[in-house]
Amino acid sequence: MRRRPVDSASVRSVGYSMSSRTLEIEFVNGSVYQYFDVPQPTYAGLLAASSIGNFVNTQIKPYYEFAEV
């Protein structure tokens, strides 16, 4: 999946597949996780968030199943 760099202390880059509704997050420590069945507006909210790390911790991690890539 193609990811785009983001300005965050904890997240290096993010990507999203509209067809599979999969969000991919690369953290600054090098780990990459995919979160499944994420609606596109949630991805848009992530990109617009004033704190991407906080958004991931409060709006993504508690609600979506994931796997490390």
Side-chain angles (χ1 to χ4, degrees):
M1 179 180 303
R2 180 174 226 158
R3 294 187 303 267
R4 62 194 293 181
V6 292
D7 185 18
S8 170
S10 59
V11 176
R12 182 173 293 145
S13 63
V14 298
Y16 184 73
S17 168
M18 290 183 73
S19 60
S20 65
R21 294 172 40 121
T22 301
L23 171 65
E24 188 170 278
I25 300 176
E26 177 190 15
F27 293 92
V28 294
N29 68 4
S31 61
V32 178
Y33 287 84
Q34 289 187 340
Y35 295 84
F36 306 110
D37 204 27
V38 177
Q40 194 280 332
T42 302
Y43 174 62
L46 171 66
L47 295 178
S50 59
S51 170
I52 289 175
N54 185 59
F55 191 95
V56 169
N57 287 332
T58 61
Q59 305 298 316
I60 305 292
K61 286 183 178 181
Y63 300 106
Y64 300 101
E65 295 207 21
F66 63 89
E68 187 168 7
V69 178

